[in-house]
Amino acid sequence: GKLELSKSTDEEEEESLGEWLTRKRRPGERDALRSPLVTSLAFLGIVLVVAAAAVYLLIGRDAAQAQLKAARADREAGKYGQAFTRYEQFLDDFPYSKYAHEALRELGFTRIELALTGAASDLTEATKAIEEFVDQFRQDDDFRDTYPDLARYASRIAQEAYSEASRRHDPDYLTVGDTALSLFERFNSSEPDDPRRLELNQAAQSARADLLEFDVRKTALAEMDQSLQAKEVSATLETFRVAIARYPN
């Protein structure tokens, strides 16, 4: 008969890994996917991934808390410029932190405090910072909790602005004081006879009186100078008499 030669092992088509893993097994042949070694390695890989994720989250949380703690420490110490920078850095590094909104609100307070302190204090900027804070956080459920702080800031701005209006004879400070007083009235929940309210109203009246006196004296001096130049001595003396009678001091 005719002799048929079988293909050698080297000539057999190679079986792909996917075919080998999915094809039916012959009796006694082990399924690789069910191999204890493969199962153990897979389980170990999952454990390592989960552990790495947990460690990453813990490190991130600790770093966020440490950075926020440092910002708060600077603010409590009155280092408002440094605290402001730290709060901004925290929000850049951890924008999705559960502390992000809280930090953003504290940043708003720090902006107000920064404008109120130091050689570069700016009462107008501080008032603007309060108004921006209100616009940004007025929808918060606990916004009313910020009322005492806002009232305190507004009270300070109003008091200092009225004082500057009297000292500098500058009506622009009177405008700032009136704006701050309005903010104080908005956020102050105390009784009508609150000493702070009475003090601020007195400061406002005093500032207006000082500005009026300054204007009257300025006008009187201008009229006296004009009369003297015209050699109208009687008119000069009359202007002087009226000014002294109105403001003897």
Side-chain angles (χ1 to χ4, degrees), residues 224 227-228 232-244:
M224 289 171 62
S227 297
L228 286 173
E232 298 175 353
V233 178
S234 59
T236 302
L237 292 175
E238 178 61 19
T239 302
F240 179 75
R241 186 190 65 78
V242 171
I244 290 299

Side-chain angles (χ1 to χ4, degrees), residues 4-21:
E4 294 183 1
L5 297 176
S6 63
K7 293 182 179 179
S8 65
T9 303
D10 294 337
E11 295 176 347
E12 291 181 352
E13 295 181 0
E14 293 184 358
E15 186 176 28
S16 69
L17 177 60
E19 293 173 341
W20 182 75
L21 289 173

Side-chain angles (χ1 to χ4, degrees), residues 28-211:
E29 185 177 5
R30 176 173 292 176
D31 187 342
L33 293 178
R34 297 179 182 177
S35 167
L37 178 59
V38 173
T39 303
S40 299
L41 291 174
F43 178 76
L44 180 60
I46 294 173
V47 170
L48 290 175
V49 170
V50 172
V55 170
Y56 176 80
L57 291 175
L58 287 173
I59 292 175
R61 185 189 65 181
D62 291 344
Q65 291 178 340
Q67 198 163 327
L68 184 57
K69 182 178 180 180
R72 287 170 172 169
D74 283 338
R75 183 184 169 207
E76 291 176 1
K79 301 176 182 177
Y80 300 118
Q82 190 167 312
F84 189 88
T85 301
R86 288 188 186 275
Y87 277 119
E88 285 193 319
Q89 188 63 52
F90 172 85
L91 292 168
D92 286 342
D93 293 344
F94 308 101
Y96 303 110
S97 168
K98 65 179 182 179
Y99 305 108
H101 188 74
E102 187 177 354
L104 188 62
R105 198 152 74 174
E106 291 174 17
L107 175 65
F109 282 138
T110 305
R111 180 179 286 109
I112 300 170
E113 293 159 343
L114 186 59
L116 279 172
T117 58
S121 62
D122 187 331
L123 298 178
T124 301
E125 187 64 28
T127 304
K128 180 181 177 183
I130 292 180
E131 293 172 335
E132 290 177 349
F133 182 96
V134 173
D135 289 341
Q136 187 173 10
F137 300 107
R138 69 198 314 167
Q139 300 300 325
D140 288 0
D141 293 336
D142 59 346
F143 179 62
R144 292 187 66 88
D145 293 343
T146 67
Y147 279 21
D149 287 323
L150 295 176
R152 176 169 53 84
Y153 293 135
S155 173
R156 178 177 172 182
I157 294 171
Q159 188 68 54
E160 293 186 11
Y162 289 137
S163 177
E164 288 298 302
S166 293
R167 186 174 71 86
R168 298 172 180 264
H169 304 115
D170 187 344
D172 288 343
Y173 281 101
L174 188 64
T175 301
V176 174
D178 289 344
T179 301
L181 180 58
S182 177
L183 289 169
F184 171 79
E185 294 289 359
R186 176 179 177 182
F187 298 113
N188 183 38
S189 59
S190 59
E191 298 299 323
D193 59 350
D194 178 5
R196 286 189 302 173
R197 177 180 284 110
L198 297 176
E199 183 179 353
L200 290 176
N201 286 329
Q202 290 174 357
Q205 293 175 4
S206 178
R208 282 177 166 77
D210 289 339
L211 286 171

